[in-house]
Amino acid sequence: MFKKILIANRGEIALRIIRACHEMGIAAVAVYSEVDRAALHVRHADEAYLLGPAAARESYLNIEKVLEVAHRAGAEAIHPGYGFLSENPAFARACQSAGVKFIGPPASAMEMMGSKTRARQAMEKAGVPRVPGSTKGLADLDEAICVARAVGFPVMLKAAAGGGGKGMRLVHEESELRPAYDGARSEAQRAFGSDEVYIEKYIRDPRHIEVQLLADEHGNAVYLGERECSVQRRHQKVIEEAPSAVVDDEMRARMGEVAVKVAHTSGYTNAGTVEFLADNEKNFYFLEMNTRLQVEHPVTELVTGLDLVHLQLRIAAGEKLPFTQEQVKLRGHAIECRIYAEDPENNFFPSPGEITRLITPAGPGIREDSGVYEGWTVPLDYDPLLSKLIAYAPTRQMAVARMQRALGEYFIGGIRSNLSLFRRILADERFRAAQIDTGYLDRLLTERENTTSQLSPQSEQMAALAAALYASRAAGGRCDDRPSSSDADQQSAWKRAGREEALR
Ligand code: MV4
């Protein structure tokens, strides 16, 4: 096993990986930018090195600097976490050239999955179900028309170098195809430096269900069940859970076997996730593969009892998977809420700043993976994820109740957070009945705009009382703005005010 590894990331995921290192007797090297000197991951690491200015290009995305630190610290391996350099094949290659083990798949597998058209071609060959459409980039508008007619409208134009929703166009009918095709191409060129686009048949209001994979470097691969990630906003996941309420054992096995086939087809190793779109008839279609540890990995850890980061490190060190597919058992239900510094009342605008008060939930079945502390200033330079709150219980219903209880304990002061959004979702009858698809959250938020007060009369009364108490304490327990302050008899302003009211 490695003696020392470098974590090329920040926030909660850097801390999550540091914790695994410490459990395995591995020294953890942190890197940080100028605004992250006092960050939690720096405090928990055994060593920490400054990379550079806040801008990610000059710090967490700077391959040369990261490798220079790895060399200086004597780290044998690098864990990239998620985001930043985690899906950059050039970084994986640079690690290899520098003699440092990249904790993730081979660069060749990352390259295949980075091109959605290459991935679709490989999946077609392997007999993996995909959404009907083109397998190659479209040569011109005529080909686009031809493919769209063959699969039938509505269709989606997608960027080959895209993913995660960027550069997508929904096309309802043939007359819209030309402007959408031109628009998608120029958008893709600007965003990804490639104007390659392809077509898929449009699946209406699908569910987003993904399968967790683990593959060792000896040809063994297992699936660890699925995650339901349909509660999203603007292609950002908001709530994830395991298992999915619509996946039965038979469907789980089918999806898992497909995911393992994807791994073998691409020469995949380490942890990875195969994303599917699923419809109401239990059909599912390969969408893309994420070649990294994911934000939502804890829900899989809770229902499988496995530690995915431990296993990533063991696989990267050349060990064989310590269990077989038959030994993987799912038990209970887990739900994760992504707590962000953003303002649900103001179009989810990021809300960085100082956390002046922080009360976090705990107790039975609650896990909180946080990257912040009271007094920490959330910088505006990065993704504003503060923490992940995860509830685990024997059933979905009990996990929902547990999450609601935990959300009730949670308080974040000084900045805005999306805690109120979670309280609303967890109370929503459709969510509670697991009636969710990728359009669910937008529909809920549209309804919300049409409602006036979100507070019950009791809550409004409580808020008014709290405000009055706060004002009173701020005034030193007195109400000095009341009339006739020449109170020779030391009578309290409150009593006086009350009497004046009674005399009226
Ligand atoms: C689709 C689709 C419907 N039909 N493809 C959005 C993110 C990107 N990874 C793929 N996405 C979609 N692709 C076809 N052929 C609907 C979506 C989609 C979506 C997918 C997953 C999770 C949330 C979503 C929200 C809106 C649209």
Side-chain angles (χ1 to χ4, degrees):
M1 185 42 67
F2 309 114
K3 289 191 180 63
K4 189 189 265 194
I5 77 165
L6 182 147
I7 296 104
N9 216 300
R10 64 182 301 282
E12 67 84 22
I13 195 64
L15 182 49
R16 164 74 187 89
I17 298 160
I18 291 168
R19 286 179 166 142
C21 289
H22 288 166
E23 288 163 7
M24 296 174 78
I26 300 168
V29 179
V31 290
Y32 61 94
S33 72
E34 281 166 11
V35 290
D36 274 345
R37 283 177 190 280
L40 202 57
H41 75 284
V42 173
R43 295 185 171 191
H44 279 258
D46 300 288
E47 298 169 35
Y49 295 82
L50 177 68
L51 288 173
R57 302 227 151 271
E58 299 184 65
S59 50
Y60 299 104
L61 284 173
N62 189 322
I63 294 177
E64 287 86 64
K65 278 189 187 163
V66 170
L67 284 174
E68 182 205 306
V69 170
H71 185 70
R72 199 152 30 111
E76 300 143 275
I78 297 182
H79 197 307
Y82 53 69
F84 295 123
L85 295 169
S86 62
E87 294 187 273
N88 184 336
F91 179 60
R93 283 196 203 287
C95 288
Q96 197 178 12
S97 306
V100 181
K101 178 74 182 182
F102 175 80
I103 301 168
S108 56
M110 293 164 77
E111 267 156 5
M112 179 193 281
M113 297 307 171
S115 162
K116 308 304 154 194
T117 44
R118 266 192 70 192
R120 276 174 68 80
Q121 279 167 51
M123 295 317 134
E124 182 178 46
K125 249 197 204 150
V128 167
R130 304 158 301 122
V131 185
S134 53
T135 352
K136 288 198 194 127
L138 298 165
D140 50 33
L141 181 65
D142 285 342
E143 193 184 355
I145 293 170
C146 189
V147 176
R149 281 183 186 160
V151 302
F153 287 92
V155 297
M156 279 196 115
L157 282 166
K158 296 185 177 186
K166 267 183 248 153
M168 283 188 347
R169 294 289 163 103
L170 173 57
V171 186
H172 295 94
E173 51 181 271
E174 197 163 318
S175 64
E176 297 172 2
L177 196 54
R178 176 191 284 280
Y181 177 72
D182 293 338
R185 279 184 53 186
S186 61
E187 196 178 309
Q189 181 66 46
R190 258 178 288 125
F192 313 110
S194 154
D195 66 357
E196 188 183 347
V197 297
Y198 63 104
I199 282 184
E200 281 181 2
K201 183 165 182 62
Y202 177 63
I203 314 278
R204 214 187 131 72
D205 288 336
R207 287 186 178 239
H208 172 134
I209 300 174
E210 58 186 31
V211 174
Q212 178 68 53
L213 272 179
L214 278 178
D216 66 22
E217 297 178 356
H218 307 273
N220 308 300
V222 294
Y223 58 89
L224 304 180
E226 76 286 356
R227 294 184 286 260
E228 166 70 66
C229 306
S230 294
V231 180
Q232 308 209 358
R233 191 186 156 270
R234 307 227 170 131
H235 307 300
Q236 286 284 341
K237 292 167 188 160
V238 171
I239 294 182
E240 303 99 346
E241 49 187 304
S244 166
V246 297
V247 176
D248 56 24
D249 288 344
E250 188 266 338
M251 185 177 176
R252 180 168 302 119
R254 277 196 295 142
M255 292 181 94
E257 278 153 29
V258 164
V260 165
K261 202 188 265 180
V262 171
H264 287 311
T265 301
S266 56
Y268 201 87
T269 63
N270 218 286
T273 296
V274 181
E275 292 188 355
F276 296 100
L277 293 181
D279 66 20
N280 284 329
E281 277 83 57
K282 296 200 185 288
N283 298 309
F284 58 87
Y285 308 94
F286 172 82
L287 196 57
E288 50 193 74
M289 179 164 190
N290 301 317
T291 60
R292 57 164 193 274
L293 183 70
Q294 291 197 245
V295 178
E296 58 271 27
H297 75 276
V299 294
T300 298
E301 294 191 317
L302 290 168
V303 299
T304 59
L306 298 168
D307 188 303
L308 289 181
V309 181
H310 281 224
L311 289 160
Q312 283 194 292
L313 298 180
R314 292 174 65 173
I315 289 169
E319 291 184 28
K320 285 187 176 164
L321 276 175
F323 51 82
T324 62
Q325 186 65 60
E326 290 65 45
Q327 290 174 298
V328 176
K329 292 274 183 285
L330 303 186
R331 194 184 143 109
H333 197 96
I335 304 178
E336 172 179 284
C337 293
R338 295 192 187 187
I339 316 293
Y340 277 96
E342 61 183 21
D343 186 359
E345 304 296 317
N346 186 16
N347 206 23
F348 295 89
F349 222 70
S351 175
E354 190 190 344
I355 299 173
T356 54
R357 190 86 182 95
L358 186 62
I359 303 169
T360 54
I366 294 300
R367 165 172 168 182
E368 206 220 353
D369 281 18
S370 170
V372 302
Y373 56 89
E374 193 172 291
W376 164 247
T377 299
V378 180
L380 49 76
D381 308 86
Y382 314 107
D383 181 74
L385 179 70
L386 300 170
S387 163
K388 302 181 314 208
L389 180 61
I390 310 118
Y392 176 65
T395 65
R396 184 174 192 271
Q397 197 188 354
M398 290 162 86
V400 167
R402 202 154 247 180
M403 181 62 88
Q404 286 188 293
R405 184 271 291 170
L407 288 167
E409 292 177 18
Y410 216 139
F411 181 82
I412 303 171
I415 57 172
R416 303 287 173 147
S417 84
N418 59 352
L419 280 172
S420 61
L421 173 68
F422 293 116
R423 293 186 185 118
R424 179 167 161 82
I425 295 171
L426 272 282
D428 179 55
E429 282 312 321
R430 282 152 299 179
F431 178 81
R432 299 173 75 88
Q435 287 163 9
I436 45 179
D437 59 50
T438 51
Y440 164 79
L441 190 51
D442 281 341
R443 291 194 295 271
L444 187 79
L445 291 170
T446 312
E447 284 166 26
R448 190 187 183 176
E449 275 159 25
N450 302 330
T451 24
T452 41
S453 173
Q454 282 307 119
L455 290 178
S456 66
Q458 290 94 323
S459 298
E460 249 172 57
Q461 216 165 49
M462 234 183 311
L465 280 166
L469 269 171
Y470 180 80
S472 161
R473 283 201 195 159
R478 324 161 57 94
C479 222
D480 289 328
D481 58 343
R482 305 300 302 182
S484 87
S485 57
S486 61
D487 42 352
D489 57 355
Q490 296 290 303
Q491 192 188 54
S492 100
W494 283 100
K495 279 189 188 164
R496 221 170 42 241
R499 284 186 192 161
E500 276 162 13
E501 185 73 28
L503 287 172
R504 223 170 264 162

